[in-house]
Amino acid sequence: VIVATVGHVDHGKTALVRALTGVDTDRLPEEKARGMSIELGFAYRAARGGAIVGFVDVPGHERFVPTMLAGVSGIRHALVVLAADDGPMPQTREHLAILDLLGVRSATLVITKIDRAAAARVAEVEAEARSLLAGAGLSDCAVHRVCAPRGDGLEALWTHLEALAGGDSLPAPRGHFRLAADRSFTLPGVGLVVTGIAFAGSIALGERVAVCPGGARARVRGLHAQNRPARSAQAGERCALNLAGTEGRHVAVRRGDWIVAEALNAPSARIDVRLRTLREAPALRPGERVHVHHGAKETTGRVVPLQAPRFQLLLDEPIAALWGDRLVLRDWSARRTCAGGVVLDPFPPARGRSRPQRLEALGALESADAAQALRGLLAAQAEGVDLARFALARNLTARERERVFGAVGMVRLGTAEEALGIAPARWAGARERLLGCVEASHREHPESWGPDEGELRRALGREAAPAVFATRIRTLLEEGALERHGTRLHRPGYRPVLSAQDLALWQRIEPLLAAGGVRPPPVGHLAATLEMTPPATESFLRRVAEFGFVAAVADNRFYSPSALAALARAACALADEHDDGRFSAAEFRDRTGIGRNVTIKVLEYFDRCGLTRRAGERRRVLARPEQVFGEAPALESPRKSAVPGGAPGLQIR
Ligand SMILES: Nc1nc2c(ncn2[C@@H]2O[C@H](COP(=O)(O)OP(=O)(O)OP(=O)(O)O)[C@@H](O)[C@H]2O)c(=O)[nH]1
Ligand SMILES: [Mg+2]
């Protein structure tokens, strides 16, 4: 078990830890000179039965409350130290308020310096202290009266702590590993050592971790748990990790950083929380600047009210917060603790933070039961729930995630990494509207291969965000409820109807286009081959382009969807070859062998349909080619690239 001392300056915290463990934790010359703790102190003592009691000794001076906060975050038990002569003082109250805000619900009251006060005074101080403790959610504490220099009461206190350690078996760890680093130093011949309390999960020698928010990667080369060498350690234990940078890279860690499993490396600067303002503190004003303490980290930010008691914190730097983490807020002068609370959502949406739907979602996030919270979110969020984010925020491992997701009746759309959960009734409704819209388009435009994604989304009144809409379309394509022809979407078995005359003409043009592959003949050549006038040829091609048979890439050049798909894949391959994922028009021309002018037109066409985006002279790829153009054969064999589901299936009106 890890216990921390708390209490006003000079009340005998360090003397108590020294009397119990033999360790003087005031090691700094300045601490010695001033007779005052400045830094955190650490000491351990083995209990009968083998359990280790770890002590964190915190400074009591009001200037060092931030250090005190770093010391008590993650502890399981507090020793509330109170001098019998002084009685309760300002930091007695402030430290108790902090324990309360951090949710520490187990403490022992230790009345020190009993040699300096009469028995009646000691009894009076104890009564006062009990009422303060009760006010901080710590009623029914054991009380011990000690005089550290003489050793009075220490036996009984130690026996009490041994019983506590013996009865305190750590719960089976859950979630991925995370540890709040409160110290880091370099030992000669060993390297970087980071210490702190593990908040979740477990860690073993050789495992890889990330430093959050910095993002550096490291491997655990050595490990101590509760001050003893260990092969593994788990949540609730105080650990020392010897970290080695991976790939020979240097790793630096500062107090306040978190050492986390690589899956948890997701720092965030915008966090939705439920806050409780201390009774004696003024109410938080909208936009008020505050100091925010999380684990051993101190940062600054602003508070934005959502709907009391819920607030959004806009931090000046990202932190490694997850759902359920405790935070303590101190006012801008850093002179008093004003509020504290718990993280509801470490990844709130960028927009609409106070919309009714969002407030309902925040209400659902209050639930400690992940499955119940997810059910609430599914009910609140019409678009669905980003399941990867949800699992990350709740620190669910793959197994825990499957158990929670399995317990919730929902439809899962998209890939495992980008899964979207949606309530079954909602999905059924969305699916019906989507397919109904495609069918209506088939009825109204029998010559067309169907609407493209943009038209479809507009026709449905933009009922879902583009990414969500794309996931829905992908799901319908995968389940075969929709098929793709170039950029057009149609129901399976559907074929556009051309007039007999148009069909006959199309059947003559289609092989000419296919033969050209990625270099289809210009309109003039087609017209000559067909013995038509160029304007008549162009107007026919424009007409069938409307329906998705070809795409008008340039004035005199029409491409089949399969040729465009082949060019799109070439663009993606080129982008992949560059570290920055960008390619130039010249590179694209050289790769595809299409002419200079056509290259520009093709790339502009790709920009228009959302495949690429231009930034200066280079372009990057925004979507996978098959998302925009469907599947099609490779660039090397343009001869085979017939229009998918093309001419043979056409019906004659
Ligand atoms: N007479 C008497 N003196 C004590 C007792 N406990 C501590 N002291 C003395 O009180 C002074 C302060 O004790 P510390 O243990 O340094 O107090 P602290 O709470 O750690 O102070 P900070 O860390 O600065 O907050 C020292 O001179 C101690 O020797 C006690 O039970 N009786
Ligand atoms: Mg001290």
Side-chain angles (χ1 to χ4, degrees), residues 302-463:
R302 289 185 295 122
V303 262
V304 178
L306 300 175
Q307 181 186 51
R310 298 182 189 127
F311 293 81
Q312 185 162 87
L313 297 179
L314 298 171
L315 303 175
D316 296 327
E317 59 182 323
I319 62 173
L322 293 183
W323 178 88
D325 281 358
R326 298 282 178 156
L327 299 169
V328 172
L329 270 51
R330 302 194 81 226
D331 70 6
W332 190 236
S333 69
R335 305 250 325 252
R336 66 201 235 166
T337 301
C338 51
V342 9
V343 174
L344 294 176
D345 192 349
F347 314 115
R351 269 187 279 272
R353 62 183 161 214
S354 317
R355 282 195 198 134
Q357 168 178 332
R358 175 60 191 165
L359 297 177
E360 194 187 334
L362 274 176
L365 285 169
E366 294 274 357
S367 175
D369 179 64
Q372 195 180 324
L374 183 50
R375 272 185 217 108
L377 283 185
L378 290 165
Q381 295 177 189
E383 295 210 337
V385 180
D386 180 333
L387 295 176
R389 284 264 141 159
F390 179 84
L392 174 63
R394 292 261 165 173
N395 188 10
L396 303 176
T397 60
R399 266 175 68 194
E400 291 161 354
R401 180 183 330 198
E402 283 318 304
R403 191 182 51 73
V404 170
F405 291 177
V408 174
M410 65 175 171
V411 178
R412 282 196 243 180
L413 310 180
T415 59
E417 302 85 60
E418 297 172 21
L420 185 75
I422 184 165
R426 281 231 167 81
W427 172 234
R431 193 176 180 282
E432 201 174 306
R433 282 192 298 282
L434 240 153
L435 297 178
C437 206
V438 172
E439 280 161 11
S441 158
H442 289 345
R443 279 194 304 279
E444 284 158 33
H445 307 284
E447 324 80 356
S448 164
W449 271 105
D452 66 21
E453 235 176 271
E455 288 164 7
L456 197 51
R457 182 162 169 263
R458 279 192 295 279
L460 287 163
R462 299 170 199 266
E463 64 169 29

Side-chain angles (χ1 to χ4, degrees), residues 5-18 25-26 31 34-39 57-61 64 81 85 95 111-116 146-150:
T5 59
V6 303
H8 197 71
V9 64
D10 228 24
H11 275 201
K13 297 179 290 297
T14 305
L16 180 68
V17 170
R18 187 175 54 215
T25 56
D26 280 353
E31 291 179 320
R34 294 169 69 182
M36 177 197 279
S37 302
I38 295 169
E39 258 310 319
D57 181 43
V58 311
H61 193 279
F64 305 129
V81 173
D85 49 354
H95 286 192
I111 300 181
T112 57
K113 307 195 184 183
I114 52 169
D115 54 316
R116 295 251 197 103
V146 305
C147 168
R150 288 202 317 239

Side-chain angles (χ1 to χ4, degrees), residues 75-282:
I75 59 154
R76 296 173 54 89
H77 187 85
L79 293 179
V80 180
V81 173
L82 182 60
D85 49 354
D86 272 356
M89 298 291 278
Q91 269 62 54
T92 313
R93 295 173 211 279
E94 184 169 17
H95 286 192
L96 282 174
I98 286 169
L99 292 181
D100 187 11
L101 293 172
L102 289 176
V104 177
R105 292 285 168 259
S106 168
T108 302
L109 172 63
V110 183
I111 300 181
T112 57
K113 307 195 184 183
I114 52 169
D115 54 316
R116 295 251 197 103
R121 170 65 185 158
V122 176
E124 185 183 283
V125 164
E126 179 178 329
E128 274 180 69
R130 276 187 188 281
S131 96
L132 286 179
L133 284 160
L138 289 166
S139 19
D140 305 326
C141 286
V143 182
H144 287 261
R145 301 174 176 192
V146 305
C147 168
R150 288 202 317 239
D152 298 1
L154 292 176
E155 271 293 320
L157 175 58
W158 174 244
T159 307
H160 167 67
L161 292 176
E162 277 190 312
L164 200 78
D168 180 72
S169 54
L170 293 172
R174 57 150 302 274
H176 295 288
F177 181 73
R178 47 199 306 250
L179 172 143
D182 52 32
R183 254 189 331 166
S184 102
F185 47 89
T186 309
L187 288 183
V190 172
L192 177 68
V193 176
V194 178
T195 68
I197 297 182
F199 275 58
S202 60
I203 188 84
L205 281 176
E207 287 183 345
R208 288 168 61 96
V209 290
V211 181
C212 199
R217 307 286 157 137
R219 200 174 51 80
V220 179
R221 191 159 56 183
L223 182 58
H224 277 63
Q226 305 287 88
N227 210 32
R228 285 175 175 165
R231 302 194 63 78
S232 66
Q234 73 152 85
E237 292 185 304
R238 199 175 158 76
C239 307
L241 307 178
N242 172 209
L243 297 183
T246 51
E247 288 110 40
R249 295 223 181 103
H250 177 73
V251 191
V253 176
R254 286 176 309 169
R255 165 175 292 174
D257 286 342
W258 286 71
I259 309 299
V260 299
E262 288 177 302
L264 293 187
N265 183 28
S268 162
R270 176 206 313 274
I271 296 172
D272 284 356
V273 295
R274 173 169 30 79
L275 290 183
R276 177 156 62 89
T277 308
L278 292 178
R279 212 177 311 128
E280 54 279 16

Side-chain angles (χ1 to χ4, degrees), residues 374-583:
L374 183 50
R375 272 185 217 108
L377 283 185
L378 290 165
Q381 295 177 189
E383 295 210 337
V385 180
D386 180 333
L387 295 176
R389 284 264 141 159
F390 179 84
L392 174 63
R394 292 261 165 173
N395 188 10
L396 303 176
T397 60
R399 266 175 68 194
E400 291 161 354
R401 180 183 330 198
E402 283 318 304
R403 191 182 51 73
V404 170
F405 291 177
V408 174
M410 65 175 171
V411 178
R412 282 196 243 180
L413 310 180
T415 59
E417 302 85 60
E418 297 172 21
L420 185 75
I422 184 165
R426 281 231 167 81
W427 172 234
R431 193 176 180 282
E432 201 174 306
R433 282 192 298 282
L434 240 153
L435 297 178
C437 206
V438 172
E439 280 161 11
S441 158
H442 289 345
R443 279 194 304 279
E444 284 158 33
H445 307 284
E447 324 80 356
S448 164
W449 271 105
D452 66 21
E453 235 176 271
E455 288 164 7
L456 197 51
R457 182 162 169 263
R458 279 192 295 279
L460 287 163
R462 299 170 199 266
E463 64 169 29
V468 171
F469 192 73
T471 302
R472 292 181 181 180
I473 298 290
R474 216 180 316 140
T475 305
L476 292 174
L477 287 166
E478 275 161 22
E479 69 178 60
L482 283 182
E483 286 174 3
R484 194 188 274 287
H485 178 84
T487 59
R488 309 304 178 122
L489 298 161
H490 62 89
R491 293 283 273 156
Y494 169 81
R495 291 293 179 271
V497 184
L498 282 191
S499 70
Q501 204 184 346
D502 277 356
L503 178 65
L505 187 49
W506 171 246
Q507 282 172 342
R508 291 173 65 203
I509 288 188
E510 196 277 329
L512 299 176
L513 289 175
V518 297
R519 285 182 297 274
V523 171
H525 290 203
L526 288 172
T529 314
L530 297 165
E531 293 174 344
M532 287 168 62
T533 66
T537 311
E538 177 163 352
S539 104
F540 171 76
L541 285 166
R542 287 215 176 274
R543 188 142 42 90
V544 290
E546 288 267 308
F547 308 134
F549 286 82
V550 290
V553 168
D555 278 349
N556 62 346
R557 194 90 61 162
F558 290 80
Y559 269 79
S560 69
S562 60
L564 285 171
L567 289 170
R569 282 195 307 281
C572 289
L574 255 182
D576 283 345
E577 289 164 22
H578 290 285
D579 280 347
D580 66 352
R582 286 157 204 261
F583 65 95

